[in-house]
Amino acid sequence: MSYRVPQPVPQVILDDVRGAQKMLSGVSRVTAMEGSRHLSALTGSPVHLKCENLQRTGSFKLRGAYVRIAGLRPEQRAAGVVAASAGNHAQGVALASSLLGVRSTVFMPVGAPLPKVAATQEYGADVRLHGQVVDETFLAAQEYADRTGAVFIHPFDHRDIIAGQGTVGLEILEQCPEVRTILVGIGGGGLAAGVAVAVKALRPDVRVIGVQAAGAAAYPPSLKAGHPVSIDEPITMADGIKVGRPGDVPFKIIGELVDDVRTVSEDALSSALLLCLERAKLVVEPAGCSTVAALLSEPELYGGGPVVAVLSGGNVDPLLLQRILRHGMAAAGRYLSLRLRVADRPGALAGLLAVLSVVDANVLDVSHVRTDPRLGLTEVEVELHLETKGPEHCAEVARSLHGAGYKVMS
């Protein structure tokens, strides 16, 4: 992916963030701060959720996009703007441009979820689908900028973008002045950098901790090397933080101001999404709940004072949400799949289901296989999908089946 950053790397200071806050007055929402009793009990400290998933367009991205586009000169506005994104930045640029009366063109990958494409169009952008991966989409947008003179609006590697995202930090300090730790998801680094600039200038005692998906964690090796390092083929369900290389501008800030960068697994992300939905009644995308995943993964790290976890976005494709919820239920021991062989005779299945009924396992789905050459002539393979109550209940189900003489294959 190509990044065009002026040299030397520009600084972002508190006055930039305060200026952005004034500019965003009446444009972006001051999003809610919700307490979480479950996470508070888990960590031993009060935990609050900063709900940027309830921001206009469903993520924090509007903040930076609006500040960046509002700062353009008249002749730049006249040329229009162009962006590349799989979703959240696309919608932020589209709405910001419409509010400012600027023409916008947004390139999105061919496989971008239809709800995100439709939302970007409804916010007023001319959407063009190009490329199978975001890198190809970026190149197409930059080539369009070179060809037409439109201003390329980078999702994270510009000081105005970072200043706009930093207004989240100012709101956190206003809403939770006693905060001791702030958790922020990191992709390219614009949000974490902006929050760190605002918070460390006003409250240097507050810890700012970044969170990355383990399969797309470019910051730990980059910080170790002392410069941005690219990783090949980042893999994670959290597409909002699926970035293969840190931005030059946010990298410098994060290296100086962010206290630590933690990584979380895919299981932790899906469990966090499920928790947000069930306990907090909040729809949050995988990238948006990476901070909750960090709390679930290592709760002992966050004692000693109030914690604020930024829920950075809530734009999740319904089909992906369905898959993630099932994955999250399995990771939490709430969903169990298994295969076993039973005699191919009347009443065999009823006997199996009776065993499951005794241990109160809810059968969601049953399928039979009779044609596998590995099966005996009098055998049938049964695949079961069960709703369970947690890891201990899963173990109880397995013990009951074994005690009844069934051999569980998976």
Side-chain angles (χ1 to χ4, degrees):
M1 188 181 295
S2 175
Y3 295 88
R4 303 172 180 181
V5 181
Q7 295 296 330
V9 175
Q11 293 183 330
V12 183
I13 61 175
L14 178 61
D15 284 347
D16 297 323
V17 182
R18 282 178 165 159
Q21 188 176 46
K22 292 179 181 178
M23 191 179 296
L24 288 168
S25 178
V27 175
S28 64
R29 294 171 181 155
V30 176
T31 52
M33 185 88 77
E34 298 288 343
S36 171
R37 284 179 291 182
H38 178 80
L39 292 172
S40 297
L42 191 66
T43 62
S45 294
V47 174
H48 306 278
L49 307 176
K50 176 62 171 168
C51 300
E52 282 297 291
N53 58 310
L54 303 179
Q55 183 57 261
R56 296 179 70 179
T57 74
S59 88
F60 69 95
K61 289 288 191 177
L62 171 65
R63 297 173 184 263
Y66 187 90
V67 173
R68 173 76 172 100
I69 297 169
L72 296 177
R73 300 187 302 275
E75 63 272 19
Q76 291 176 311
R77 291 195 188 193
V81 300
V82 61
S85 167
N88 288 345
H89 180 59
Q91 293 174 64
V93 168
L95 178 57
S97 299
S98 294
L99 293 173
L100 292 164
V102 176
R103 183 179 70 259
S104 65
T105 302
V106 176
F107 285 77
M108 303 181 75
V110 172
L114 291 178
K116 294 185 178 182
V117 173
T120 304
Q121 292 172 325
E122 288 171 8
Y123 286 129
D126 173 18
V127 174
R128 304 191 181 189
L129 301 180
H130 185 94
Q132 299 299 321
V133 295
V134 176
D135 285 11
E136 295 173 357
T137 309
F138 257 77
L139 288 175
Q142 290 172 333
E143 290 169 359
Y144 177 89
D146 292 338
R147 186 173 69 255
T148 66
V151 178
F152 181 69
I153 306 299
H154 200 284
F156 50 81
D157 214 3
H158 192 280
R159 60 176 297 171
D160 289 345
I161 295 286
I162 293 170
Q165 321 305 27
T167 59
V168 174
L170 294 180
E171 290 179 16
I172 290 173
L173 295 182
E174 292 166 0
Q175 294 170 306
C176 185
E178 68 278 13
V179 64
R180 299 294 300 168
T181 302
I182 299 174
L183 289 164
V184 190
I186 297 183
L191 176 61
V195 168
V197 167
V199 170
K200 290 295 186 177
L202 296 169
R203 288 281 306 281
D205 59 303
V206 173
R207 290 192 305 167
V208 178
I209 297 178
V211 183
Q212 290 207 287
Y219 264 88
S222 297
L223 292 169
K224 184 177 181 179
H227 58 82
V229 172
S230 298
I231 59 172
D232 296 329
E233 298 184 12
I235 300 173
T236 177
M237 70 176 77
D239 58 353
I241 53 175
K242 186 179 177 181
V243 178
R245 181 189 185 277
D248 292 88
V249 183
F251 175 79
K252 183 175 187 297
I253 295 169
I254 287 171
E256 293 174 354
L257 299 180
V258 171
D259 295 278
D260 195 8
V261 177
R262 312 298 297 181
T263 61
V264 294
S265 68
E266 298 298 287
D267 280 353
L269 287 167
S270 57
S271 295
L273 188 150
L274 183 61
L275 183 143
C276 287
L277 188 62
E278 286 191 323
R279 298 297 185 93
K281 315 305 177 190
L282 293 168
V283 176
V284 186
E285 63 189 275
C289 64
S290 61
T291 53
V292 174
L295 292 171
L296 293 176
S297 301
E298 299 175 294
E300 69 280 1
L301 297 182
Y302 306 104
V307 178
V308 172
V310 179
L311 305 181
S312 58
N315 293 316
V316 57
D317 178 48
L319 295 177
L320 176 62
L321 179 62
Q322 183 181 43
R323 295 198 299 270
I324 293 171
L325 288 176
R326 178 166 288 190
H327 184 82
M329 289 180 70
R334 303 263 305 282
Y335 184 86
L336 179 63
S337 296
L338 49 85
R339 291 183 299 119
L340 41 81
R341 292 178 184 178
V342 300
D344 190 8
R345 63 170 183 263
L349 179 59
L352 171 61
L353 296 179
V355 173
L356 296 173
S357 177
V358 170
V359 292
D360 201 26
N362 186 31
V363 179
L364 300 176
D365 190 34
V366 179
S367 63
H368 293 74
V369 175
R370 285 189 169 87
T371 57
D372 193 315
R374 293 171 296 179
L375 292 172
L377 289 175
T378 59
E379 289 182 319
V380 60
E381 184 175 288
V382 177
E383 183 174 355
L384 296 165
H385 300 281
L386 310 174
E387 183 181 3
T388 48
K389 301 173 184 177
E392 292 182 1
H393 191 209
C394 289
E396 182 186 0
V397 171
R399 286 194 302 268
S400 296
L401 290 170
H402 179 75
Y406 295 101
K407 182 179 179 181
V408 177
M409 300 169 61
S410 62

